[in-house]
Amino acid sequence: MNIQKVYSTIDVHVAGEAFRIIKDLPFFHYQSLEQLNEQLQEEFLESIHLLLNEPRGSANLNGCLIVPAVSQEADAAVLFFNYNGKVPLHYGGIVAVITTLLECGHLHPRTSSEYKIETLSGVISATAIMEKDEVISVTIESRPCQLVQRNIPLSYLHLDTSFSLVQANQLYAVFEKRDISAEIHIEKLSELKRWGQTVLQALESIIPVKGVILMDDSHLEGGQIKTITFDENEYIVRSPGFESTMACYTSLLANDRVLNIKSPLMNKSIFDSYLTIQASTQTETGFRFIVSTRGFITGMQTFVLDPTDPFPSGFLLK
């Protein structure tokens, strides 16, 4: 085999969502992350597809390219992307990056446990707690999330329901589970997928949302909800979802469903991974939250490209 390209990566999952940390990058001169991102889209796009698409990856895999920080206040910089292209900010990706940098020795632990990562959306601060050289918790304060509209009626085919519209980094539609009989369990996945597909079809020509969230708040008094999120292409988010969790808590707070704004809330996924969230502040621009979880390194891999490979950019089956 004649090897044309070699890439080293580290794979991490955060509450079940998979991230691929890319270490190797052709040398570019850049003065900002925006400039680097433009260069990547032109000159590195085929390599990104190679590493994220099948047969080496999947549509549910997120890419994280770590580079030296441009901002003097940041410890490192990262560009996020998925099969759809660039992602300006991914909170789960911040957890994956900090976990990798600390556990692989690229970033020295601090007594303050405070770290800063530069992104296309600015510098994000995080607190990472370590025990015995292992990151056991990463806490991030979110950007503001705002309720756009509540109780929006939706009738389509057999649907007769309503939802809340919440603006996090992207726009989300939050539905309550009482509108569907199926429980949010793996055993009911087929029925849940049909529901998600129908809702996305109904919203397609009305509101261009980033995702649709189905929330079960039957255990809200115990400080817990359960959710499943479908992105705009009908893929299921492989975690409770940082923005999904923020959108749900924003909806609950705005509808006076939470008595104490400082009450912590646990959001569980369909396979019972979880994120913990707590409201931080409320301003004119919405609610800010503190979200905590942890990441786990699942593998360190070397990928190669044989010049005779018929799929140099991979492929995706949707």
Side-chain angles (χ1 to χ4, degrees):
M1 178 178 67
N2 177 19
I3 297 176
Q4 185 179 22
K5 295 181 181 179
V6 180
Y7 301 94
S8 297
T9 67
I10 298 174
D11 287 0
V12 183
H13 88 77
V14 177
E17 192 166 8
F19 296 87
R20 179 157 289 163
I21 311 295
I22 300 171
K23 298 164 59 180
D24 299 314
L25 173 71
F27 294 121
F28 290 120
H29 293 288
Y30 57 93
Q31 295 181 327
S32 68
L33 280 186
E34 289 77 9
Q35 183 184 4
L36 175 59
N37 185 65
E38 290 178 5
Q39 290 176 302
L40 289 179
Q41 298 302 318
E42 296 174 0
E43 303 180 42
F44 196 58
L45 190 59
E46 185 174 277
S47 296
I48 291 174
H49 289 163
L50 173 83
L51 293 170
L52 294 190
N53 291 352
E54 300 175 65
R56 298 167 183 85
S58 71
N60 301 114
L61 185 61
N62 301 282
C64 309
L65 177 64
I66 301 177
V67 296
V70 178
S71 170
Q72 294 184 352
E73 67 172 311
D75 298 296
V78 60
L79 292 174
F80 299 116
F81 36 81
N82 58 23
Y83 70 95
N84 253 344
K86 71 176 182 180
V87 178
L89 177 59
H90 200 309
Y91 291 108
I94 296 290
V95 176
V97 166
I98 289 180
T99 299
T100 299
L101 291 175
L102 286 170
E103 293 192 0
C104 293
H106 301 301
L107 192 60
H108 295 297
R110 299 195 181 113
T111 54
S112 67
S113 301
E114 298 292 332
Y115 306 92
K116 294 185 177 181
I117 303 296
E118 186 177 4
T119 73
L120 288 173
S121 295
V123 176
I124 304 299
S125 298
T127 302
I129 306 300
M130 297 191 73
E131 288 185 3
K132 299 179 180 179
D133 298 323
E134 185 176 17
V135 179
I136 62 168
S137 175
V138 178
T139 301
I140 300 171
E141 184 172 19
S142 76
R143 300 295 176 86
C145 302
Q146 188 173 37
L147 180 77
V148 177
Q149 190 175 348
R150 74 185 80 187
N151 297 325
I152 304 172
L154 181 65
S155 295
Y156 180 80
L157 299 178
H158 59 276
L159 286 175
D160 186 13
T161 183
S162 62
F163 63 95
S164 294
L165 204 58
V166 179
Q167 180 71 52
N169 286 327
Q170 304 284 346
L171 193 62
Y172 290 86
V174 181
F175 291 78
E176 297 190 11
K177 199 207 77 68
R178 57 174 170 265
D179 297 323
I180 177 175
S181 60
E183 299 295 327
I184 303 179
H185 294 309
I186 290 289
E187 295 79 8
K188 301 296 182 179
L189 186 57
S190 295
E191 185 175 347
L192 293 168
K193 289 176 68 175
R194 286 194 296 272
W195 178 89
Q197 183 181 42
T198 303
V199 170
L200 284 165
Q201 288 173 352
L203 292 175
E204 185 176 13
S205 60
I206 305 173
I207 303 172
V209 296
K210 174 67 175 179
V212 166
I213 307 165
L214 181 64
M215 174 178 63
D216 180 358
D217 62 0
S218 58
H219 297 285
L220 183 59
E221 290 186 1
Q224 180 179 307
I225 60 174
K226 195 166 188 175
T227 65
I228 182 171
T229 301
F230 302 87
D231 72 15
E232 71 265 50
N233 292 305
E234 301 179 11
Y235 287 114
I236 296 173
V237 176
R238 263 39 180 195
S239 77
F242 275 75
E243 291 197 27
S244 302
T245 304
M246 297 169 194
C248 287
Y249 207 177
T250 298
S251 177
L252 291 168
L253 287 169
N255 286 286
D256 297 322
R257 300 288 301 281
V258 179
L259 298 179
N260 183 359
I261 192 173
K262 294 296 183 181
S263 297
L265 186 71
M266 178 186 292
N267 181 16
K268 285 191 173 184
S269 71
I270 192 171
F271 51 91
D272 289 337
S273 67
Y274 64 90
L275 301 175
T276 302
I277 185 171
Q278 185 170 350
S280 172
T281 56
Q282 182 180 7
T283 66
E284 292 181 357
T285 56
F287 297 96
R288 297 174 72 100
F289 298 100
I290 295 174
V291 187
S292 299
T293 189
R294 66 179 298 185
F296 297 87
I297 293 177
T298 58
M300 300 180 182
Q301 305 187 62
T302 299
F303 293 99
V304 301
L305 175 61
D306 184 326
T308 63
D309 189 330
F311 307 109
S313 296
F315 58 89
L316 285 176
L317 296 179
K318 299 183 180 180

